[in-house]
């Protein structure tokens, strides 16, 4: 790391003690900025780097709610409004017991550059709670969402901050939150949340977008080598929204996804994943991956080791941060993996990224590869603002165009800064310079 960025990193560590995921995300971006600042030293002036690593606003609040047995619970709510240079803060809400300030800050920081890469005029933010929706009744989830939105509603708005889903927040939760927002504000601001239901302002393709996008990004990377996904064996982790639609798009492009996973283990289905069954188990029944194995002859559930022990040509980590470490990366490489496209946010540890890059394989970092979700959220905002609705083909064509542009921007930036094929540097440099140019134009704010 260059001296100037090293100093900024040390300040981040000192000022945000114990927030290891945030440190990791900042380190990865700052490391990429060495060549950018060497070429354009003005980006290090006016404390621009110091400003970009400090959230514009951090909101932390109490979320009390009553369960079905009448017991009162207290969770913690967060919204980190990180950077609004390019537009209203935009980013999801995560409901998961692991959520804390450091996790939300890492996600918010990533979101700044991801959103910049989409070129849709959206700033970066993220929020959530340590609430665990698993095993809770619909009524409990509703009461939690209403309590959460009672505070959050003071801080958001279609031109201010536009939350959406992330892990643990899907259509059901967005629905309960939107209902409460509308009631508190007496205003049908459809554009205040994205990931809405189709009958009340949602966009076609939003559900599919993150998974589709990660696969389209893999396809674009392969095309630089004159290859495609056709006939490739794909290893997927996760079994949520991102994983399910990554599997769908991979199948459409002629590849064979053979795995998926959740916290109870991973499934290997050598014949290729039965997508209808997986959707039934996860989306309709809200069940576990074991339920799939019970109904699918030939599929097996593995409860030790990791899904990355399974050899394949392409890996799509679609579960969560740091799910793929250095050892797993080396195992994947030994198994012949030549492409990794991150559907989740920061799923590969720094050691894993280093191993992939050293091996010279195609590695698409999350902030580029999984930007299809937020990009389609911006398309949802666009439809809401125009009080219009596009059909599936129109929305999907726009998503495909955006993913191609993101890919090409990463390639161009990597070349410009002397590291052709380095998508990590390309994504960070392209995202950063777009935000930094606007921050400079806006003055010291
Ligand atoms: N949570 C998603 C992400 O990580 C989507 C955010 C959004 O749609 O605003 O990008």
């Amino acid at each position: 790391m260059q001296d100037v960025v090293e100093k900024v990193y040390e300040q981040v560590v000192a000022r945000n003690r114990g927030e290891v995921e945030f440190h990791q995300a900042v380190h990865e971006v700052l490391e990429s900025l060495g060549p950018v600042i060497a070429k354009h030293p003005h980006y290090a002036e006016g404390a621009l780097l110091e400003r970009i690593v400090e959230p514009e606003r951090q909101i932390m609040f109490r979320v009390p709610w009553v369960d079905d047995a009448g017991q009162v619970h207290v969770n913690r709510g967060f919204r980190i409004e990180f950077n609004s240079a390019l537009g209203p803060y935009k980013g999801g809400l995560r409901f998961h017991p692991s959520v804390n300030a450091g996790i939300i800050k890492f996600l918010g920081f990533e979101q700044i550059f991801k959103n910049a890469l989409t070129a849709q005029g959206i700033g970066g933010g993220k929020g959530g709670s340590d609430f665990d929706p698993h095993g809770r009744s619909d009524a409990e989830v509703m009461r939690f969402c209403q309590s959460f939105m009672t505070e959050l509603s003071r801080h958001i708005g279609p031109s201010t901050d536009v939350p959406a889903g992330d892990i643990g927040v899907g259509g059901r939760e967005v629905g309960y939150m939107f209902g409460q927002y509308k009631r508190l504000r007496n205003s049908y601001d459809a554009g205040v949340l994205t990931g809405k239901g189709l009958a009340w302002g949602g966009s076609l393709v939003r559900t599919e977008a993150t998974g589709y996008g990660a696969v389209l990004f893999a396809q674009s990377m392969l095309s630089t080598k004159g290859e495609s996904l056709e006939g490739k064996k794909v290893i997927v982790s996760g079994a949520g929204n991102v994983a399910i639609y990554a599997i769908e798009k991979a199948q459409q492009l002629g590849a064979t996804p053979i795995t998926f996973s959740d916290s109870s283990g991973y499934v290997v289905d050598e014949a290729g994943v039965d997508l209808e069954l997986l959707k039934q188990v996860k989306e309709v029944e809200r069940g576990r991956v074991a339920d799939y194995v019970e109904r699918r002859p030939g599929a097996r559930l593995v409860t030790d080791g990791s899904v990355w022990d399974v050899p394949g040509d392409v890996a799509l980590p679609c579960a969560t941060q740091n799910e793929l470490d250095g050892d797993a990366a080396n195992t994947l490489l030994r198994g012949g993996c030549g492409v990794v496209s991150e559907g989740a946010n920061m799923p590969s540890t720094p050691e894993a990224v280093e191993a992939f890059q050293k091996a010279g394989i195609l590695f698409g970092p999350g902030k580029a590869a999984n930007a299809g979700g937020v990009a389609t959220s911006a398309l949802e905002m666009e439809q809401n603002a125009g009080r219009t609705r596009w059909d599936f083909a129109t929305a999907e064509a726009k998503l495909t165009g955006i993913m191609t542009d993101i890919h090409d921007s990463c390639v161009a930036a990597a070349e410009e800064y002397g590291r052709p094929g380095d998508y990590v540097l390309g994504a960070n440099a392209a995202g950063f310079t777009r935000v930094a140019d606007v921050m400079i134009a806006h003055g010291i704010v």
Side-chain angles (χ1 to χ4, degrees):
M1 239 194 214
Q2 274 192 350
D3 280 3
V4 46
V5 284
E6 178 83 52
K7 233 179 70 214
V8 177
Y9 178 68
E10 280 165 14
Q11 279 172 16
V12 166
V13 172
R15 215 179 217 173
N16 303 275
R17 290 201 186 277
E19 297 180 352
V20 289
E21 292 85 1
F22 181 48
H23 304 166
Q24 184 184 333
V26 170
H27 191 273
E28 189 220 85
V29 170
L30 289 179
E31 203 169 35
S32 293
L33 296 185
V36 179
I37 284 154
K39 196 165 173 184
H40 306 291
H42 71 283
Y43 286 132
E45 291 165 11
L48 192 134
L49 296 174
E50 288 84 345
R51 283 188 284 141
I52 214 166
V53 296
E54 184 69 14
E56 290 176 15
R57 191 175 299 106
Q58 306 188 52
I59 303 145
M60 205 164 134
F61 50 99
R62 179 171 71 196
V63 190
W65 59 282
V66 185
D67 70 18
D68 289 345
Q71 200 185 327
V72 178
H73 297 257
V74 178
N75 284 101
R76 187 170 278 183
F78 300 89
R79 187 71 184 167
I80 309 265
E81 297 180 333
F82 221 120
N83 193 298
S84 61
L86 295 179
Y89 308 106
K90 182 83 197 86
L93 298 169
R94 176 177 291 192
F95 292 170
H96 191 271
S98 65
V99 162
N100 56 41
I103 299 258
I104 299 299
K105 242 186 248 176
F106 118 64
L107 291 163
F109 187 70
E110 290 279 296
Q111 203 83 43
I112 303 171
F113 308 103
K114 183 195 313 196
N115 294 4
L117 285 170
T118 71
Q120 288 168 300
I122 40 178
K126 202 85 183 193
S129 173
D130 55 3
F131 171 72
D132 186 359
H134 276 117
R136 291 291 172 194
S137 70
D138 286 352
E140 289 175 322
V141 170
M142 181 180 75
R143 288 194 292 274
F144 174 81
C145 288
Q146 290 177 339
S147 181
F148 184 84
M149 183 50 84
T150 300
E151 174 61 32
L152 189 69
S153 66
R154 305 168 200 271
H155 309 287
I156 61 175
S159 306
T160 307
D161 183 356
V162 184
D166 194 81
I167 294 171
V169 178
R172 174 181 61 170
E173 291 74 15
V174 171
Y176 294 146
M177 286 191 277
F178 185 72
Q180 181 75 348
Y181 176 89
K182 178 168 69 69
R183 177 195 199 188
L184 290 167
R185 291 288 188 94
N186 190 26
S187 176
Y188 207 111
D189 296 332
V192 72
L193 290 173
T194 60
K196 297 184 292 296
L198 296 176
W200 40 281
S203 174
L204 285 161
V205 190
R206 177 62 192 88
T207 307
E208 294 84 353
T210 313
Y212 276 21
V215 172
L216 293 170
F217 198 87
Q219 183 83 323
S220 292
M221 291 196 292
L222 278 161
S223 73
T224 64
K225 306 236 179 271
E227 291 178 45
S228 82
L229 280 162
E230 177 90 46
K232 298 246 179 340
K233 203 186 252 196
V234 184
I235 309 304
V236 180
S237 66
N241 194 45
V242 182
I244 288 174
Y245 292 96
I247 290 171
E248 182 164 290
K249 181 51 78 183
Q251 288 180 344
Q252 287 171 8
L253 295 175
T256 308
I258 58 162
T259 65
F260 52 86
S261 66
D262 67 12
S263 54
S264 64
Y266 67 91
V267 170
V268 187
D269 189 343
E270 292 287 353
V273 174
D274 178 341
L275 191 59
E276 284 320 302
L277 177 59
L278 179 60
K279 285 184 182 175
Q280 172 66 27
V281 166
K282 295 304 289 190
E283 292 183 335
V284 181
E285 299 169 18
R286 292 182 187 274
R288 312 297 293 162
V289 296
D291 303 332
Y292 173 99
V293 174
E294 270 168 29
R295 286 181 243 169
R296 174 81 170 164
R300 58 194 164 90
L301 176 69
V302 185
T303 52
D304 55 1
S306 94
V307 69
W308 313 121
D309 296 336
V310 184
D313 307 307
V314 178
L316 303 175
C318 298
T320 194
Q321 67 273 359
N322 293 328
E323 56 164 309
L324 199 172
D325 63 14
D327 288 344
N330 286 316
T331 309
L332 275 174
L333 290 166
R334 275 195 304 276
C337 176
V339 185
V340 178
S341 186
E342 294 186 330
N345 289 310
M346 207 172 73
S348 307
T349 64
E351 295 74 28
V353 177
E354 201 188 321
F356 293 140
Q357 293 199 315
K358 231 185 189 158
I361 68 162
L362 296 167
F363 174 72
K367 65 169 74 68
N370 74 34
V374 75
T376 308
S377 277
L379 298 178
E380 184 172 328
M381 291 162 72
E382 198 178 325
Q383 291 167 82
N384 295 152
R387 299 186 69 79
T388 187
R389 227 171 109 68
W390 304 329
D391 61 19
F392 195 94
T394 304
E396 193 181 14
K398 286 181 190 274
L399 167 65
T400 307
I402 292 167
M403 291 312 298
T404 307
D405 288 349
I406 293 174
H407 173 267
D408 295 352
S409 304
C410 294
V411 169
E415 269 169 23
E416 182 181 349
Y417 296 107
R419 296 239 290 272
D422 182 341
Y423 287 89
V424 175
L425 178 102
N428 287 331
F432 169 79
T433 50
R434 286 180 195 180
V435 180
D437 287 339
V438 176
M439 287 175 71
I440 292 167
H442 289 173
I444 309 293
V445 288

